[in-house]
Amino acid sequence: MANNKYRKITSTEHSGSVSFFSSLFFQWINILIKTGSERAVDKNDLLPLKEENTTCFLTEELQAKWTEETDNSRIQDVKPKLWKSVFKMLTAKDSVILITAGIINTICRIFQPLLLGYLIKSLMITRLQHNYFLYGCASALGINELICSLSMHQFEYRCGVFGIRISSALKGLVYMKTLLLSKDSLLKFSSGRVIDLVSNDVQRIEGDTFQLFFEGARSLMELVIVTCLLVNLIGWQTVMGILLLCMLMPYFAGFSYAGAILRLRTAALSDHRITLIKEVVTGIRAIKTNAWEDEYRKKIKNVRR
């Protein structure tokens, strides 16, 4: 390993706080990329995980938030909402970063076509004037794109990390719940249902769930600003196109609702399929002894249709 320049990444190298520059440009991950360019990376080379990002800490925090939500709901005589407990886990630092990055990205996306339009309009003039102003406009266009990219990367990174944290907390919460249930309660739920809940439903949260939620609020602000600019720069005729886009929102919302209903129907079939496969794997000796292979093969084929 000495020829490959092996050097394990220790936790003492990153024990201090990350600087603003390193956090902005993701410089803190350079040592892992450098190690990966020299040799194959294993689990010992990963950067140390902070205490607030461990599954145990996140599960206990979500459990405390959920207990608080159930107590408040019992007092108010309403049904508790899990999503309220989930969003309470969002720290003030992450909230400020998400809001700031979203606002900056929205402003940059609005300024980009304005600067580009002014630059093209100025270049179409026969006699160019104010050359220094045009150079400044071109420079501002590049700087605006750089700031827009940095804010977008920070926004997506924070949303992704928050999704992973919530996914780990929910999986831990499901595991803790199964340990507290009685034997009679466990018989009411199949193992396939629990596996499908953890592997499919909870896993979807790691995707674009929270990013779409935060982008919805950001898009609403962007829609209002763009509408005002289009009315002032072009005219009231542009409002017709915006109204058409707004009218399509209930259309897509209806399709999403229909997809959710179909998802609930397929979830029951997925639970039954996973349970049947587990029964076959667990009782494979009995199936081989009694020559039940053909019968179970037919059952599995029917479930997989």
Side-chain angles (χ1 to χ4, degrees):
M1 300 302 293
N3 296 330
N4 295 332
K5 298 180 180 180
Y6 176 81
R7 186 173 66 88
K8 181 178 177 180
I9 300 176
T10 60
S11 58
T12 57
E13 298 180 19
H14 297 273
S15 58
S17 58
V18 180
S19 62
F20 175 77
F21 182 84
S22 178
S23 177
L24 183 63
F25 293 95
F26 301 99
Q27 191 181 7
W28 48 269
I29 204 172
N30 286 347
I31 186 173
L32 182 61
I33 298 176
K34 183 180 179 181
T35 305
S37 64
E38 297 174 353
R39 58 174 177 80
V41 178
D42 55 21
K43 63 179 181 179
N44 295 324
D45 297 322
L46 299 178
L47 299 177
L49 192 64
K50 293 183 179 180
E51 178 66 24
E52 59 268 19
N53 291 328
T54 58
T55 303
C56 181
F57 180 86
L58 295 172
T59 303
E60 293 177 355
E61 184 180 2
L62 182 58
Q63 179 64 46
K65 301 295 184 182
W66 175 244
T67 303
E68 181 182 355
E69 175 64 22
T70 52
D71 294 339
N72 295 334
S73 301
R74 191 180 299 109
I75 295 174
Q76 300 175 3
D77 196 15
V78 294
K79 186 177 180 180
K81 303 293 184 180
L82 181 60
W83 63 267
K84 292 183 179 180
S85 303
V86 169
F87 277 97
K88 286 181 180 179
M89 294 184 62
L90 187 64
T91 61
K93 178 182 177 181
D94 291 335
S95 301
V96 172
I97 294 176
L98 285 172
I99 295 174
T100 305
I103 293 176
I104 293 176
N105 185 258
T106 302
I107 294 174
C108 291
R109 289 170 60 181
I110 293 174
F111 271 104
Q112 183 177 10
L114 296 177
L115 294 173
L116 184 61
Y118 178 81
L119 184 62
I120 295 175
K121 181 180 179 181
S122 301
L123 293 175
M124 291 177 64
I125 300 175
T126 306
R127 294 183 178 179
L128 294 177
Q129 297 179 357
H130 307 290
N131 292 334
Y132 292 105
F133 188 77
L134 292 179
Y135 294 151
C137 183
S139 302
L141 189 61
I143 296 174
N144 180 79
E145 182 62 27
L146 176 62
I147 297 175
C148 182
S149 300
L150 292 176
S151 60
M152 181 187 66
H153 291 158
Q154 288 291 332
F155 182 83
E156 293 180 352
Y157 169 73
R158 295 291 174 174
C159 289
V161 171
F162 183 63
I164 295 174
R165 295 175 77 247
I166 295 303
S167 177
S168 301
L170 289 175
K171 291 176 183 178
L173 200 63
V174 172
Y175 176 74
M176 292 179 59
K177 185 65 176 179
T178 55
L179 296 179
L180 297 176
L181 290 176
S182 61
K183 187 175 182 180
D184 295 335
S185 300
L186 288 175
L187 294 175
K188 298 179 182 179
F189 302 95
S190 61
S191 58
R193 184 174 180 180
V194 178
I195 295 174
D196 184 62
L197 175 65
V198 174
S199 61
N200 293 329
D201 298 335
V202 178
Q203 196 71 21
R204 293 175 184 270
I205 300 178
E206 293 188 11
D208 301 330
T209 304
F210 293 100
Q211 184 175 350
L212 291 175
F213 176 81
F214 290 111
E215 283 187 351
R218 188 183 66 176
S219 300
L220 182 61
M221 180 183 66
E222 185 177 355
L223 179 63
V224 175
I225 298 175
V226 170
T227 303
C228 297
L229 290 176
L230 289 176
V231 171
N232 293 327
L233 296 177
I234 300 177
W236 63 269
Q237 294 84 356
T238 56
V239 180
M240 303 304 298
I242 298 176
L243 290 177
L244 178 61
L245 293 177
C246 294
M247 291 174 61
L248 292 176
M249 295 178 62
Y251 174 77
F252 290 110
F255 267 98
S256 300
Y257 181 74
I261 295 177
L262 294 177
R263 171 62 187 166
L264 291 177
R265 294 180 180 178
T266 57
L269 297 177
S270 300
D271 299 341
H272 179 60
R273 183 180 68 252
I274 295 174
T275 302
L276 181 60
I277 296 298
K278 183 179 180 182
E279 290 178 355
V280 172
V281 174
T282 305
I284 190 64
R285 291 185 178 180
I287 293 175
K288 288 290 186 180
T289 303
N290 297 278
W292 292 339
E293 295 93 337
D294 295 335
E295 184 66 24
Y296 274 91
R297 186 183 296 110
K298 292 179 181 179
K299 289 184 178 180
I300 294 174
K301 286 183 178 180
N302 292 330
V303 172
R304 287 181 174 179
R305 289 181 180 177

